[in-house]
């Protein structure tokens, strides 16, 4: 089993003004003369994480991480009382990636992402295929209604009835037939306590179910109140709009990717983005290498997932 590369620090960081009053945090680590690779974090709204640097050989890659609009160290932060998410959409993020690529003087880069990072990676690559040298995607999520219904409207309650009870607890009974909509209201309530209770419940549900076995440290990190409110608000906003995609758009348009060397990695026991989506993508895009890890959940640091991801970055480093 491959393990993370050693911890490293960025050799350069910055804040990029992307317009609409939004500034995004970015960082570069590894080898400044190495092969450019960008890692797309999850959520949306999850923010980058230093461990994401460590799926790349730092001697071979120039590793770029950034915080998508409204989260992490990007400003303004979506947890603010007066947060306005109207200029935070998938297509704004795709255009931010182009601004960042140009700002860094990168012509083409390897794109790697999991979960929502796979969604954004597909959206970006289907829009700008000529900018992508290779694509590495894990825990495939395409924001189809069936995927949202599975995780946020009751499907996964079949596996986690105990945690589901806690997820729906903040929502008045009369509103439980549309939980995403009900949460959207609670997350923007005038009362900060209501917003935080909702944000923490939302983030607890997600962080408790993304690993095969629950990890208390993961849950603690993702339920810190301002992190949780920003994460939940941004996810909820994207889900209420189905990511601004047409139905099945990302899978349908995967034909545009057939000439890009690509790897898809999916955990069999991924409860957040279940394997049927990765399978549908594999069927539509047979040119991409496809691995179903038999004993893993959703998160990128699950052993079999990490092993397959690093095998892919090592392969493409040559
Ligand atoms: N959201 C899946 C996703 O991208 C539907 C995701 N879930 N949890 C995360 O990301 C964090 C690890 C960032 C908490």
């Amino acid at each position: 089993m491959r393990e993370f590369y050693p911890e490293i620090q960025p050799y350069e960081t910055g804040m990029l003004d992307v317009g609409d009053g939004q500034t995004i945090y970015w960082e570069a680590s590894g080898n400044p003369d190495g092969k450019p690779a960008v890692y797309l974090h999850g959520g949306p709204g999850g923010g980058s994480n230093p461990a994401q640097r460590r799926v790349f050989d730092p001697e071979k890659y120039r590793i770029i991480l950034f915080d998508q609009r409204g989260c992490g160290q990007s400003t303004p932060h979506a947890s603010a009382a007066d947060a306005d998410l109207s200029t935070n959409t998938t297509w704004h993020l795709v255009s931010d990636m182009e601004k960042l690529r140009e700002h860094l003087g990168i012509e083409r880069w390897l794109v790697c992402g999991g979960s929502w990072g796979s969604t954004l990676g597909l959206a970006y690559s289907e829009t700008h295929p000529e900018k992508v040298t290779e694509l590495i995607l894990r825990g495939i999520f395409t924001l189809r209604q069936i995927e949202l219904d599975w995780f946020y409207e009751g499907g996964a309650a079949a596996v986690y009835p105990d945690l589901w009870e806690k997820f729906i607890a903040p929502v008045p009974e009369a509103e439980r037939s549309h939980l995403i909509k009900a949460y959207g209201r609670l997350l923007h309530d005038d009362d900060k306590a209501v917003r935080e209770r909702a944000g923490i419940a939302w983030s607890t549900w997600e962080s408790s179910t993304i690993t095969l076995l629950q990890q208390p440290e993961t849950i603690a990190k993702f339920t810190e109140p301002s992190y949780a409110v920003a994460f939940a608000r941004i996810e909820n906003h994207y889900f209420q709009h189905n990511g601004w995609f047409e139905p099945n758009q990302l899978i349908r348009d995967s034909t545009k990717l057939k000439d890009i060397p690509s790897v898809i990695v999916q955990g069999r026991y991924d409860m957040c983005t279940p394997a049927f989506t990765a399978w549908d993508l594999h069927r539509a895009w047979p040119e991409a290498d496809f691995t179903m890890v038999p004993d893993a959940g959703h998160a990128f640091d699950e052993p079999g997932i990490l092993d397959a991801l690093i095998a892919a970055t090592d392969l493409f480093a040559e």
Side-chain angles (χ1 to χ4, degrees), residues 153-173:
E153 302 286 0
V159 185
Y160 290 112
D162 44 350
L163 301 177
W164 184 254
E165 216 169 75
K166 294 183 179 150
F167 178 64
I168 64 174
V171 179
E173 247 166 80

Side-chain angles (χ1 to χ4, degrees), residues 36-38 94 97-99 101-102 106-111 121 124-135 256-257 260:
V38 62
V94 167
M97 286 177 66
E98 278 300 89
K99 290 194 174 110
R101 186 185 59 71
E102 283 166 16
I106 292 171
E107 221 166 292
R108 301 170 75 217
W109 50 6
L110 179 154
V111 174
Y124 175 80
S125 305
E126 292 174 7
T127 309
H128 301 289
E130 72 289 354
K131 303 301 180 206
V132 182
T133 54
E134 295 91 4
L135 197 47
K256 296 179 179 171
L257 308 175
I260 303 175

Side-chain angles (χ1 to χ4, degrees), residues 42-43 46 114-116 141 152 206 210 222 227 231 235 239 272 298:
S115 196
W116 162 259
F141 179 48
Y152 300 100
E206 194 143 335
I210 57 173
F222 294 129
Y227 179 95
F231 175 69
E235 282 202 332
F239 301 161
C272 180
H298 176 73

Side-chain angles (χ1 to χ4, degrees), residues 36-113:
V38 62
Y39 191 98
L40 307 176
H41 70 66
S48 65
N49 165 354
Q52 292 159 351
R53 301 170 193 149
R54 302 174 60 196
V55 300
F56 300 99
D57 183 338
E59 291 185 2
K60 295 191 172 150
Y61 280 103
R62 177 180 177 191
I63 306 154
I64 310 297
L65 268 52
F66 70 98
D67 291 330
Q68 297 159 26
R69 290 188 182 205
C71 69
Q73 297 179 65
S74 293
T75 64
H77 199 255
S79 66
D82 60 349
D84 170 14
L85 298 183
S86 62
T87 60
N88 194 336
T89 73
T90 305
W91 307 110
H92 287 95
L93 303 187
V94 167
S95 119
D96 294 351
M97 286 177 66
E98 278 300 89
K99 290 194 174 110
L100 179 59
R101 186 185 59 71
E102 283 166 16
H103 177 71
L104 297 172
I106 292 171
E107 221 166 292
R108 301 170 75 217
W109 50 6
L110 179 154
V111 174
C112 179

